[in-house]
Amino acid sequence: MSLKPWREIARPHKDVLEGTFKQSEFAADISQVAAGKATAEYQDAEKFFARTFITEGMRLLLISVAQRLAGQGGDPVVQLQTAFGGGKTHTMLAVYHLASRSVSTDKLEGIPPLLDAAKIHDLPRANVAVIDGIKVSPSHPQQHGTIAANTLWGELAWQLLGEEGYAMVAASDASGVSPGKEVLRQLLERAAPCVILMDELVAFLRQLEVGREFSAGTFDSNISFIQALTEALKSVPNAMLLASLPESNLEIGGDMGQRALNSLEKYFARVESVWKPVASTEAFEIVRRRLFAHAGERAEVEGISRQFHDFYRANSNKFPLETQSNVYFERLCQSYPIHPEIFDRLYEDWSTLDKFQRTRGVLQYMALVIHRLWNDNNQDALIMPGSLPLDDSTVRNKSIHYLPQGWEAVLEKEVDGARSDPARFDGTETRFGSVQAARRAMRTIFLGSAPAVSNQTVRGVSLEHILLGCAQPGQTVGIFEDVLKYLRDRLHYLYAERHIDQDRFWLDTRTNLRREMESRTQNINEREALEPLLKTQVGNLFGRQHSFAGIHVFTPSLDVPDEYGAGVRLVVLPPQAAYAKSDTKAAFAAAEEILTKRGEQPRQKQNRLLFIAGDYEVMRLLKEQGRTYLAWKSIISDIDNGKLNLDLFQVQLARKNADAAAQSLKQLARETYKWLLCPTQDMSKGKPTVQWEVLSLSANTQSLVADIEQKLREEEWLITQWSPVHLRTLLNQWYFKDGVQQISALKVWQDCCHYLYLPRIASDKVFIDALNKGLESEDYFGFAAGQDGDKYLGFTFGKPALVVLDAASLLIQREAAVAYRESIKPPPRPPVDSDPTPDPIDPKPPIILPPVPPPPTTVTKTRFYGSVTIDPLTAKMQFAQIMDEVVEQFTTRTGVKVAISIEINAISTTDFDEDLQRAIKENCNTLKFSGNEFES
């Protein structure tokens, strides 16, 4: 079944459709009806009952009235006491029309079943007296021809029996003294069957000030009259009194009103039967009958209600628990075409306002709403809280009529209207505008929070009830969840708080400090405040545990070191150098400036730098969030210093917002700095040019540094482990050509730090490790610690070595290393002939050697000690020679243990400065010197 709009199924009454109703017509006036001056819907008994839903309380009361008038029991006195607008007067009108009946009971809709229940087949017509406490005056008699009724008993007697009745109490009426119980009993017996309707009695009695006399009598004489009347009614079986008493302070009115109410309750309580007020479920039907001529065919109503109920059950985690039961399906049917949530909010929340009349107020309000929605061609399936046309001036004025001052500005700016922020959001965000998500959400929040914002223990409307007031079948519930987050961060009068795992929202006439915050964001200096904040936030992303020689955040080129160092350096570009795929100019230009220059000087070690840039689109949000955080921080500072006076809730909210802003800033910083820039150089062209390779980093990894290091390894932008085969390839490609057979090892390492077309090696250790591994094999290259003429000092090829990387160290082409090794091999010794027999071919006689004497007895030598003074300028090369020519002679023999000690003496003609002393001591400790000391 299609989800038809409510206007295609239900039809409002003509006066609601045309807007010809008057607000006062909803306020039933029993005096006007008694005088024959009321509108037809109240004056005509048939029309009245046709539009009246007989509630359970009214049904029981009318049965009691019928039984009393027929002399078959019933209650002599009934007290009606409910909240303002609770249906008391409407109930009195039902009793009036039933008792004073101008047509037969079969023409009064709903009455025949009641009479059947009371077992009454012939209901007598009764005399009815209506005493309206607002209409009568203590000082001005009611004029009836030549008779002036001064008191309540005079007016009562006149209305029941005319001149005859008045004559029975004339003396008491003239003196202002209450007639006795007996006189009243006689009056009631002559008038019976009769009904007395007393409305607004407290409003009359509170005017009788103590100590003053009025033509209507004193306060005490009137109380005595009520006492006598209630006692007399018990003696007359077919006479009854129906009196209304107020429940709210607004109706009671001051100390005299309270005294009057206390006195009346005391005497009514002796004989009363308290009327049952309208239940909230019955209110659905009351409003529906009064406002709609036809609420729709049952099948169509159930079809629409079923679709809503299925929608709620399909999204059970998004809607209140009560929507999941079949009872809620019945509520949807009973209240159609108005959503039950509207009734709940009006009856439960708005009825707590002093000026809002419970049933009458709902009727007045909904009549305006339905009229406007009908004329606006509203296409909602139900009239929901999100449907309320608060942009209409009449509906808006009625809405704020019951509220304190200050709500008009809130409605116009942040709830509804052509110039409101929600309307603007719906107009600019297509996803929201397709279902008017922002306006529907704010209308729902207004209806649910405006009347109770000052006295709620838990403030606001829960998210699930907001969704209940907004979403219709076929719509995505998530749109409304998203729009609430969107609005929460932008509106000034909207508050949000999380309570027991449920977000709650409410509106207030006080700003939520967002306006103050936004005002402060305009005054934040970008260079002095914002950039230092962002520098700190971005710097915190990298932490202290990393393999880089340094991470330089927003650092000018002069302050980025140009050195070989123990690792590459990561340069974080400033906000103005953000990267965009569509426009790379700013990021590349800023990076190249640092890459090629250190201040005004050319940069030498270009291949020691890598760069990270922020995303151009997210950078704008990061800056905004940075300003937001600084604004909240300044608000907190002013609160702590007593410069800003706020209530406890606002203070807590400010601190919460500051914490949230800090967290969002941290997350946005991570999301912003996501582009890794790697410089390379294209040597295939005539002129070397810098080229850039770009990679995107993930914002979801646990560690940004770990992600960067992994990406550098994967893309081989940074070499942390190097195979000797790649070193051999590098040497053959760039160095061992045109007859060159050796190259400085230090130069190769330094060239890798200088030139972008060479590999970017993480550190000299990685380079030395590759050397050492290569020297273990004869497949790659040779090494020498130095050179003396044609002789290589500390030559190594095809065996493990201890490589020292200095200016003298050399890398030797493999073939040259092979040739050199062969050249330094000692010549082979001639073989020794052990056969003394002369060669028959050789005529020479054999040489007879003298016997070798035994070696002289010598002392066994098992220890060697040697010392040598080394020139500090050539120490590395000399130490390599010592290792090769002396130490290695011992280490290659088994059973020999070698210990080497180095003694350094440095004497200066002037004091060693503190920096030198500190550096030497730190290095000695690192190298595990057994002792080191500076002396005077």
Side-chain angles (χ1 to χ4, degrees):
M1 182 181 292
S2 62
L3 197 64
K4 286 186 178 180
W6 65 270
R7 59 184 295 114
E8 294 182 13
I9 298 175
R11 183 166 185 81
H13 282 297
K14 183 178 180 182
D15 57 348
V16 176
L17 279 178
E18 297 176 354
T20 56
F21 56 85
K22 298 177 182 178
Q23 294 303 311
S24 60
E25 290 180 359
F26 285 109
D29 187 336
I30 195 168
S31 296
Q32 290 286 88
V33 174
K37 298 178 180 179
T39 57
E41 66 189 54
Y42 291 113
Q43 191 70 55
D44 187 284
E46 290 185 67
K47 291 183 178 179
F48 174 82
F49 279 106
R51 289 194 176 190
T52 297
F53 172 67
I54 299 178
T55 66
E56 179 64 15
M58 188 184 293
R59 186 183 73 84
L60 295 175
L61 176 61
L62 292 178
I63 289 175
S64 179
V65 170
Q67 290 173 334
R68 189 71 181 174
L69 295 180
Q72 297 180 14
D75 301 306
V77 177
V78 176
Q79 171 192 319
L80 306 180
Q81 186 172 26
T82 64
F84 189 39
K88 299 186 297 289
T89 305
H90 202 86
T91 301
M92 282 190 166
L93 283 175
V95 174
Y96 176 88
H97 285 302
L98 180 64
S100 64
R101 193 176 61 261
S102 57
V103 296
S104 60
T105 56
D106 60 334
K107 295 183 179 180
L108 304 180
E109 187 175 331
I111 296 301
L114 299 184
L115 296 180
D116 291 341
K119 298 181 180 180
I120 297 173
H121 304 292
D122 185 16
L123 181 67
R125 184 179 180 278
N127 292 313
V128 180
V130 176
I131 306 297
D132 188 339
I134 294 178
K135 182 179 179 183
V136 297
S137 169
S139 302
H140 296 85
Q142 296 292 311
Q143 199 69 39
H144 301 288
T146 59
I147 296 175
N150 298 298
T151 63
L152 292 181
W153 46 93
E155 180 66 18
L156 174 64
W158 167 263
Q159 289 194 32
L160 288 177
L161 293 175
E163 293 183 5
E164 177 188 357
Y166 182 77
M168 297 176 68
V169 297
S172 298
D173 182 64
S175 64
V177 177
S178 171
K181 168 185 172 182
E182 183 60 28
V183 173
L184 293 174
R185 185 189 62 78
Q186 294 174 10
L187 174 66
L188 293 173
E189 285 182 342
R190 291 189 185 183
C194 64
V195 173
I196 302 168
L197 302 175
M198 287 188 172
D199 197 14
E200 305 291 355
L201 195 53
V202 169
F204 174 78
L205 293 177
R206 69 186 177 211
Q207 300 177 69
L208 303 175
E209 297 179 25
V210 177
R212 289 188 58 189
E213 293 188 5
F214 300 87
S215 58
T218 64
F219 179 84
D220 290 336
S221 65
N222 278 271
I223 294 298
S224 297
F225 162 67
I226 296 299
Q227 181 182 9
L229 179 61
T230 57
E231 292 295 326
L233 284 164
K234 291 191 292 183
S235 305
V236 182
N238 53 355
M240 72 173 298
L241 167 65
L242 187 63
S244 69
L245 297 181
E247 187 179 74
S248 67
N249 292 331
L250 179 67
E251 292 180 282
I252 293 171
D255 294 339
M256 278 302 297
Q258 188 63 54
R259 180 181 177 186
L261 178 60
N262 294 341
S263 299
L264 291 174
E265 287 179 333
K266 176 182 177 182
Y267 294 115
F268 282 150
R270 295 180 179 179
V271 291
E272 70 170 353
S273 176
V274 179
W275 168 68
K276 183 180 179 181
V278 176
S280 58
T281 53
E282 294 174 327
F284 298 169
E285 188 63 27
I286 293 173
V287 173
R288 186 162 74 168
R289 284 214 184 188
R290 176 57 188 87
L291 298 178
F292 291 92
H294 178 63
E297 298 297 334
R298 179 68 183 177
E300 287 188 305
V301 170
E302 287 186 352
I304 298 295
S305 300
R306 178 60 66 189
Q307 290 186 69
F308 270 87
H309 193 239
D310 290 345
F311 176 58
Y312 297 149
R313 297 184 71 173
N315 299 275
S316 59
N317 62 323
K318 302 294 186 182
F319 295 104
L321 182 62
E322 63 265 22
T323 62
Q324 305 305 301
S325 69
N326 288 328
V327 174
Y328 202 80
F329 168 71
E330 292 299 327
R331 292 191 70 199
L332 286 164
C333 296
Q334 291 169 3
S335 64
Y336 185 89
I338 300 173
H339 196 285
E341 187 68 7
I342 285 188
F343 285 111
D344 289 345
R345 300 287 66 81
L346 292 177
Y347 276 92
E348 293 176 16
D349 299 336
W350 286 75
S351 63
T352 63
L353 299 174
D354 287 339
K355 293 187 293 183
F356 190 88
Q357 300 180 35
R358 189 173 171 88
T359 301
R360 191 181 305 169
V362 174
L363 282 169
Q364 293 174 347
Y365 190 68
M366 291 308 299
L368 291 174
V369 168
I370 293 166
H371 171 70
R372 175 48 52 200
L373 292 178
W374 185 273
N375 287 332
D376 289 345
N377 195 30
N378 178 262
Q379 295 296 306
D380 288 345
L382 287 177
I383 300 172
M384 307 174 70
S387 310
L388 299 180
L390 296 174
D391 57 333
D392 179 72
S393 59
T394 305
V395 176
R396 180 186 301 163
N397 291 338
K398 191 65 176 178
S399 301
I400 63 177
H401 172 73
Y402 305 108
L403 300 173
Q405 293 294 320
W407 279 97
E408 184 171 4
V410 177
L411 278 173
E412 287 183 352
K413 186 177 187 304
E414 299 201 346
V415 179
D416 205 357
R419 294 178 295 178
S420 68
D421 289 336
R424 179 166 54 85
F425 297 151
D426 282 339
T428 55
E429 297 287 337
T430 306
R431 182 165 169 257
F432 298 154
S434 62
V435 292
Q436 293 189 350
R439 276 171 288 182
R440 292 179 71 84
M442 292 309 300
R443 292 165 185 163
T444 304
I445 293 172
F446 169 76
L447 184 69
S449 67
V453 72
S454 62
N455 54 21
Q456 283 182 319
T457 55
V458 179
R459 293 188 177 187
V461 189
S462 66
L463 173 61
E464 58 187 16
H465 276 93
I466 296 174
L467 299 178
L468 184 63
C470 295
Q472 298 185 82
Q475 295 176 346
T476 303
V477 179
I479 292 178
F480 296 98
E481 293 179 297
D482 292 344
V483 83
L484 285 170
K485 297 175 185 176
Y486 187 87
L487 295 169
R488 179 186 58 194
D489 296 335
R490 288 163 176 79
L491 299 184
H492 297 124
Y493 297 100
L494 178 64
Y495 288 76
E497 185 178 33
R498 192 158 188 83
H499 180 76
I500 312 179
D501 298 329
Q502 180 74 259
D503 289 328
R504 300 184 72 87
F505 297 81
W506 70 94
L507 283 162
D508 200 341
T509 53
R510 297 174 301 172
T511 60
N512 60 9
L513 287 180
R514 190 165 298 281
R515 178 175 293 174
E516 175 70 17
M517 180 274 293
E518 290 178 351
S519 175
R520 295 190 182 210
T521 60
Q522 306 303 316
N523 300 322
I524 292 173
N525 184 283
E526 183 162 340
R527 180 177 295 275
E528 296 178 2
L530 182 59
E531 286 194 8
L533 170 69
L534 297 183
K535 182 175 181 178
T536 300
Q537 290 292 322
V538 174
N540 290 339
L541 295 176
F542 299 96
R544 296 183 178 181
Q545 300 297 322
H546 56 76
S547 61
F548 297 102
I551 297 178
H552 307 278
V553 182
F554 306 172
T555 305
S557 66
L558 180 62
D559 296 331
V560 178
D562 186 22
E563 58 189 29
Y564 297 110
V568 299
R569 296 180 179 275
L570 182 65
V571 180
V572 184
L573 299 178
Q576 56 269 28
Y579 173 85
K581 289 183 178 179
S582 59
D583 185 4
T584 61
K585 187 181 299 182
F588 288 169
E592 192 163 344
E593 176 70 17
I594 298 174
L595 179 71
T596 57
K597 293 182 180 180
R598 186 186 182 195
E600 298 298 324
Q601 300 299 319
R603 184 175 295 277
Q604 301 298 323
K605 293 82 174 176
Q606 295 184 8
N607 212 26
R608 306 310 288 155
L609 299 183
L610 290 164
F611 299 84
I612 184 170
D615 185 84
Y616 181 81
E617 294 298 327
V618 189
M619 184 64 72
R620 176 180 57 83
L621 301 178
L622 178 64
K623 287 184 175 182
E624 288 180 4
Q625 189 61 37
R627 292 180 182 276
T628 299
Y629 169 74
L630 289 172
W632 282 119
K633 187 178 178 182
S634 70
I635 290 173
I636 296 300
S637 177
D638 285 352
I639 291 173
D640 293 340
N641 295 327
K643 296 180 181 179
L644 200 58
N645 186 19
L646 302 173
D647 62 28
L648 179 60
F649 174 77
Q650 287 183 307
V651 170
Q652 292 175 339
L653 188 61
R655 296 189 188 280
K656 184 177 180 180
N657 284 337
D659 292 342
Q663 186 62 34
S664 296
L665 181 63
K666 180 180 178 181
Q667 181 62 32
L668 266 177
R670 179 67 189 274
E671 293 175 4
T672 302
Y673 278 86
K674 59 178 288 188
W675 296 109
L676 194 59
L677 313 182
C678 176
T680 62
Q681 200 167 50
D682 188 352
M683 294 296 294
S684 62
K685 298 180 180 179
K687 181 180 179 181
T689 56
V690 175
Q691 303 291 326
W692 293 95
E693 295 184 29
V694 183
L695 272 181
S696 175
L697 300 169
S698 172
N700 299 321
T701 55
Q702 188 173 2
S703 169
L704 176 60
V705 166
D707 190 27
I708 293 173
E709 292 174 342
Q710 181 180 351
K711 284 286 194 301
L712 293 176
R713 288 193 298 269
E714 290 174 352
E715 298 296 323
E716 296 185 350
W717 288 356
L718 183 64
I719 297 173
T720 56
Q721 290 183 332
W722 207 21
S723 171
V725 69
H726 297 306
L727 175 56
R728 183 190 65 183
T729 301
L730 174 73
L731 294 172
N732 291 338
Q733 181 179 1
W734 297 105
Y735 299 100
F736 297 155
K737 55 185 180 179
D738 299 330
V740 176
Q741 295 183 337
Q742 65 185 40
I743 188 66
S744 167
L746 182 62
K747 174 177 170 56
V748 175
W749 156 245
Q750 291 178 342
D751 284 352
C752 288
C753 295
H754 289 184
Y755 304 117
L756 299 174
Y757 57 85
L758 294 180
R760 185 176 293 103
I761 302 172
S763 66
D764 57 353
K765 182 180 183 303
V766 175
F767 184 81
I768 292 172
D769 286 346
L771 276 180
N772 286 327
K773 291 178 182 177
L775 292 175
E776 293 176 359
S777 168
E778 297 181 359
D779 297 333
Y780 303 113
F781 41 76
F783 177 80
Q787 189 175 17
D788 184 9
D790 294 335
K791 183 180 181 182
Y792 286 126
L793 305 178
F795 175 76
T796 303
F797 180 63
K799 61 182 178 179
L802 179 64
V803 172
V804 177
L805 198 63
D806 58 14
S809 58
L810 297 172
L811 286 169
I812 305 167
Q813 185 188 39
R814 177 185 177 279
E815 288 73 13
V818 171
Y820 180 74
R821 184 184 62 182
E822 294 301 318
S823 71
I824 63 175
K825 282 184 177 181
R829 294 181 180 181
V832 177
D833 192 354
S834 60
D835 186 4
T837 304
D839 191 335
I841 301 176
D842 188 356
K844 292 181 181 181
I847 299 174
I848 302 173
L849 297 176
V852 178
T857 302
T858 59
V859 179
T860 302
K861 295 184 172 74
T862 61
R863 181 180 178 85
F864 169 81
Y865 173 80
S867 65
V868 63
T869 301
I870 297 176
D871 184 348
L873 298 179
T874 60
K876 285 187 179 181
M877 184 171 66
Q878 289 181 340
F879 190 79
Q881 285 182 283
I882 292 170
M883 291 295 297
D884 289 345
E885 298 178 17
V886 178
V887 176
E888 190 173 329
Q889 298 295 324
F890 291 114
T891 58
T892 56
R893 293 175 179 260
T894 60
V896 178
K897 294 182 179 179
V898 180
I900 302 173
S901 297
I902 299 176
E903 183 176 307
I904 301 172
N905 289 300
I907 301 174
S908 174
T909 57
T910 60
D911 288 343
F912 291 118
D913 61 70
E914 292 184 0
D915 289 341
L916 176 62
Q917 291 185 48
R918 182 172 58 253
I920 293 296
K921 281 185 172 295
E922 289 178 357
N923 292 338
C924 286
N925 292 334
T926 302
L927 295 172
K928 301 187 185 307
F929 274 47
S930 59
N932 65 89
E933 189 64 47
F934 282 89
E935 299 176 348
S936 58

